[in-house]
Amino acid sequence: MSEEVLDELNLQQYNPSDEGRHRLIPAVRNCRKAELSSSFLSKSHWEVVASAMTSNPSHLRELSLSENQSLTDARLKLLSSAMMHPNCRLETLRLWDCRLSEISCDSLASALRSNPSHLRVLELIQNQLKDPAVKLLCSGLESLNCQLETLRLSDCSLSEISCNSLASALRSNPSHLRVLDLSYISLEDPGVKQLCGALQDPLCKLETLRWLHSSQKPNLPPS
């Protein structure tokens, strides 16, 4: 593993013991895709993941950390700092159901504003984000350095204020966002009006807007 680059490391596939996880996590340094969802990671594990993102060269392009209740604000700040490192080439980050706070969203926004920012896909599905957290996240989307193309906020219970923040991000110059997923969110009329107004703006380059009713919600695990 010290020389070979692996396509994927999937801890869910192996379901290792604590000792097995301790032995497998360092392999993240030599992976293009790491699936670490639903895994309890210790402080040292998070440090290894951050190190993999900043190594020279860094092979990691896709990272899934969904349903990780050990993802504290401090640990997300560590990962966000790694994303801001010049060696980091991470393109996809999945953080489904991680109970993200305002502080965590501020850290993510800083990563989106970094130069260069390589992140293209950010999935924050099933995180009950508050208005201040969404506003901070959108401030990152509005940055000239942000290259994010896909943002998934399904099942996040967004309010009118949050929709206003998203609408502002869609009008930003330039806006690189092409896919916005707001499925399974019961949007009120004022929120919908805000978003539709942004879609009519010539600066908005959005190509796909997903908005499925909650009655169509499937019972699927993060992927």
Side-chain angles (χ1 to χ4, degrees), residues 14 56 62 87 91 99 114 119 158 165 169 178 192 207 211 221:
Y14 298 111
N56 188 16
E62 187 172 333
N87 290 340
E91 298 173 357
R99 302 178 184 177
S114 64
L119 203 64
L158 302 182
S165 298
R178 297 294 182 269
V192 175
E207 298 172 356
W211 183 24

Side-chain angles (χ1 to χ4, degrees), residues 29 67 70-71 88 94 98-100 105 125 145 148 211:
R29 295 190 181 97
E67 296 183 321
S70 62
L71 182 56
C88 183
R94 295 189 177 92
C98 285
R99 302 178 184 177
L100 298 182
C105 286
I125 297 168
N145 293 328
L148 198 71
W211 183 24

